[in-house]
Amino acid sequence: MTSALGSPHDSPPRDVPAPGSLAASEDVDAFVLAVRVLIDQRLARYFAEKRAETERISPRSVELVAALESLTMRGGKRLRPVVTAAAMFAVDPRARVEPFVEIGAAL
């Protein structure tokens, strides 16, 4: 299995829990990787939206958005979102994943 601390651009292994089953995950590496994948996917959508918006407003500023995206997406363990997700599921194992993804992406 790929380590959960590998590159965020690594393809997730097949045994990554589905978003609805994160709380039931007993495999810490799979949980960490699943959280990272969800957060990275949300951030990718955010930057795609911002690039399109910036292109309409000020095409010369697209380079700035691209630089911010590069800094944000270059990796890291996404430790804050992982701890937030673990705390959320500790409090309510049936919690919905969607609100957490928005919070985790903001961290």
Side-chain angles (χ1 to χ4, degrees), residues 50-67:
K50 291 303 170 186
R51 275 193 314 273
E53 181 181 329
T54 303
E55 183 68 42
R56 286 189 304 274
I57 296 170
S58 175
R60 292 181 6 188
S61 299
V62 172
E63 195 174 322
L64 176 60
V65 173

Side-chain angles (χ1 to χ4, degrees), residues 22-25 28 31-32 35 78-95 100 107:
L22 281 176
S25 176
V28 174
F31 179 82
V32 170
V35 169
R78 305 275 188 235
L79 185 59
R80 288 182 205 113
V82 168
V83 171
T84 302
M88 180 184 75
F89 288 126
V91 171
D92 183 2
R94 296 169 305 186
F100 150 75
L107 294 173

Side-chain angles (χ1 to χ4, degrees), residues 10-89:
D10 292 346
S11 297
R14 289 175 231 232
D15 57 348
V16 170
S21 67
L22 281 176
S25 176
E26 294 181 14
D27 182 342
V28 174
D29 281 345
F31 179 82
V32 170
L33 184 59
V35 169
R36 288 182 62 210
V37 167
L38 289 170
I39 298 303
D40 285 347
Q41 288 172 344
R42 177 60 185 107
L43 289 171
R45 285 192 311 274
Y46 172 80
F47 281 111
E49 293 165 6
K50 291 303 170 186
R51 275 193 314 273
E53 181 181 329
T54 303
E55 183 68 42
R56 286 189 304 274
I57 296 170
S58 175
R60 292 181 6 188
S61 299
V62 172
E63 195 174 322
L64 176 60
V65 173
L68 290 170
E69 179 179 15
S70 176
L71 284 171
T72 302
M73 299 302 290
R74 76 171 45 157
K77 294 180 281 296
R78 305 275 188 235
L79 185 59
R80 288 182 205 113
V82 168
V83 171
T84 302
M88 180 184 75
F89 288 126

